[in-house]
């Protein structure tokens, strides 16, 4: 468990983070779901895999990943010789938690004629047990390359897998995991919001359940939603994903209005990811100062997990790492 910051009053955290970034030759990564002040100081803001790939391409010695643990693990898989720190090791993921490696291994063994197409939101151990990793931006491209007769296990997100099944007419066997953020949206409240803004399209993430997806004008990855926002002809967009993405939308398109899709009571913060929220400026400062908490990984496990990531990159290189709004050149 990451210790809570203490006795940091009076410290100019941004200035200290900037100093440590240079001293450590560090690159700071921020997922779109991070709080705005962290996004604003990051070298790169984006989706999980694109961030890891961008960091691997730098000459940085240290990667500070402001996201969740499976994202920092992926950065370590791709950059084994770099130090990777995560401001709070308790920053997990409900999808990763829903898919324990031992149970996933048993599930695979019970279906030996299936290949495992696995969403990147999983542990390193599950990646090592998988055939091909997918992201929300690459899943369709990869699935289109797999013969219809090939049986597939898809996990851990049953909503993303179900969306792909419906769109492609597939019958993938779905692991029963869900993202607690995207599960929290209310169809009733969304319909009320659409009635208040009848000309506003709705953009949603495929991790949303079907009763939300059915009301979306666009369904895509976080980066895809950002790109879609640039194309709408109107001035208002309803956004059905974690609301911190709206910060990047406002920076890129200050003349448009972005409204987060509501939760159960129409006015709750239940769609803010509690795991992403564990990362703070204080913890980022401490992680750069002390180079902890550090991601460590067995080399045999890393290489096994990297195989499934490499297969994805081979099959869908043109769809990975796109739509990176809000980035600045490393070292700037």
């Amino acid at each position: 468990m990451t210790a809570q910051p203490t006795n940091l009053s009076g410290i100019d955290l941004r200035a200290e983070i900037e100093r440590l970034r240079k001293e450590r030759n560090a690159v700071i990564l921020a997922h779109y779901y991070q709080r705005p002040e962290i996004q604003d100081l990051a070298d790169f803001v984006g989706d999980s895999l694109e961030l890891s790939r961008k960091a691997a391409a730098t000459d940085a010695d240290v990667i500070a990943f402001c996201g969740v643990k499976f994202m920092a693990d992926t950065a370590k898989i791709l950059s084994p010789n770099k130090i990777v720190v995560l401001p709070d090791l308790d920053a997990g993921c409900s999808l990763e938690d829903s898919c324990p490696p031992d149970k996933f291994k048993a599930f695979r063994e019970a279906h030996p004629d299936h290949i495992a197409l696995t969403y990147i939101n999983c542990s390193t151990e599950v990646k090592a047990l998988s055939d091909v990793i997918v992201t929300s931006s690459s899943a369709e491209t990869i699935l289109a390359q797999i013969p219809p007769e090939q049986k597939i296990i898809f996990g851990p997100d049953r909503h993303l897998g179900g969306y792909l099944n419906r769109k492609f007419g597939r019958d993938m066997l779905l692991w029963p995991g869900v993202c607690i953020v995207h599960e929290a949206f209310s169809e009733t409240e969304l319909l009320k919001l659409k009635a208040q803004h009848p000309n506003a399209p709705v953009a949603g993430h495929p991790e949303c359940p079907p009763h939300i997806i059915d009301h979306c004008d666009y369904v895509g990855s976080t980066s895809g939603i950002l790109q879609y926002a640039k194309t709408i002809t109107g001035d208002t967009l309803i956004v059905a994903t974690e609301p911190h993405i709206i910060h990047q939308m406002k920076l890129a398109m200050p003349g448009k209005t972005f409204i987060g899709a509501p939760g159960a009571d129409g006015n709750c913060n239940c769609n803010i990811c509690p795991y992403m929220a564990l990362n703070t400026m204080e913890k980022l400062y401490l992680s750069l100062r002390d180079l902890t908490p550090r991601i460590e990984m067995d080399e045999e496990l890393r290489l096994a997990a990297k195989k499934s990531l490499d297969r994805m990159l081979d099959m869908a290189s043109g769809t990975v790492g796109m739509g990176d709004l809000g980035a600045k050149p490393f070292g700037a």
Side-chain angles (χ1 to χ4, degrees), residues 195-270:
Q196 295 169 14
H197 303 275
N199 297 319
V202 179
H205 196 283
E207 290 178 23
C208 291
H211 60 264
I212 299 298
I213 294 293
D214 287 347
H215 301 291
C216 291
D217 299 278
Y218 174 84
V219 179
S221 67
T222 316
S223 293
I225 291 172
L226 283 166
Q227 293 304 314
Y228 174 74
K230 297 172 70 174
T231 70
I232 62 171
T233 55
D235 60 2
T236 303
L237 178 67
I238 298 170
V239 182
T241 191
E242 213 276 357
H244 283 114
I245 189 180
I246 292 175
H247 178 62
Q248 289 299 319
M249 292 179 170
K250 289 179 177 177
L251 289 176
M253 296 155 276
K256 294 182 180 180
T257 299
F258 303 100
I259 305 171
D265 66 358
N267 191 35
C268 72
N269 290 324
C270 47

Side-chain angles (χ1 to χ4, degrees), residues 118-120 122 127 130-135 142 308-309 312:
T118 308
Y119 193 28
I120 197 168
C122 65
K127 288 181 176 67
S130 302
D131 295 295
V132 187
I133 296 300
V134 301
T135 64
I142 289 173
S308 60
L309 282 167
M312 178 195 66

Side-chain angles (χ1 to χ4, degrees), residues 70-257:
F70 82 80
M71 298 179 183
D73 286 349
T74 301
K76 188 65 176 179
I77 291 171
L78 298 185
S79 299
N81 296 321
K82 298 182 191 296
I83 295 171
V84 180
V85 295
L86 180 68
D88 194 321
L89 274 182
D90 289 335
C93 172
S94 60
L95 285 168
E96 178 179 349
D97 293 344
S98 77
C99 192
D102 57 338
K103 293 185 178 180
F104 187 73
K105 183 174 185 291
F107 192 65
R108 287 221 61 182
E109 291 171 347
H111 301 89
D113 55 345
H114 289 59
I115 64 169
L117 200 63
T118 308
Y119 193 28
I120 197 168
N121 296 37
C122 65
S123 66
T124 303
E125 290 79 7
V126 168
K127 288 181 176 67
L129 291 167
S130 302
D131 295 295
V132 187
I133 296 300
V134 301
T135 64
S136 50
S137 63
S138 68
E140 295 187 19
T141 299
I142 289 173
L143 186 58
Q145 298 175 54
I146 300 174
E149 63 272 13
Q150 174 62 60
K151 295 181 178 180
I152 300 172
I153 290 170
F154 188 92
D157 192 316
R158 65 182 174 91
H159 291 321
L160 175 56
Y163 170 75
L164 294 169
N165 272 345
R166 295 188 300 275
K167 183 166 183 176
F168 287 89
R170 304 295 287 242
D171 188 27
M172 294 188 294
L173 187 59
L174 306 181
W175 186 268
V178 297
C179 168
I180 58 173
V181 170
H182 295 94
E183 185 83 348
F185 295 119
S186 165
E187 180 181 23
T188 299
E189 296 300 327
L190 177 58
L191 289 173
K192 291 180 183 176
L193 189 60
K194 282 171 63 71
Q196 295 169 14
H197 303 275
N199 297 319
V202 179
H205 196 283
E207 290 178 23
C208 291
H211 60 264
I212 299 298
I213 294 293
D214 287 347
H215 301 291
C216 291
D217 299 278
Y218 174 84
V219 179
S221 67
T222 316
S223 293
I225 291 172
L226 283 166
Q227 293 304 314
Y228 174 74
K230 297 172 70 174
T231 70
I232 62 171
T233 55
D235 60 2
T236 303
L237 178 67
I238 298 170
V239 182
T241 191
E242 213 276 357
H244 283 114
I245 189 180
I246 292 175
H247 178 62
Q248 289 299 319
M249 292 179 170
K250 289 179 177 177
L251 289 176
M253 296 155 276
K256 294 182 180 180
T257 299

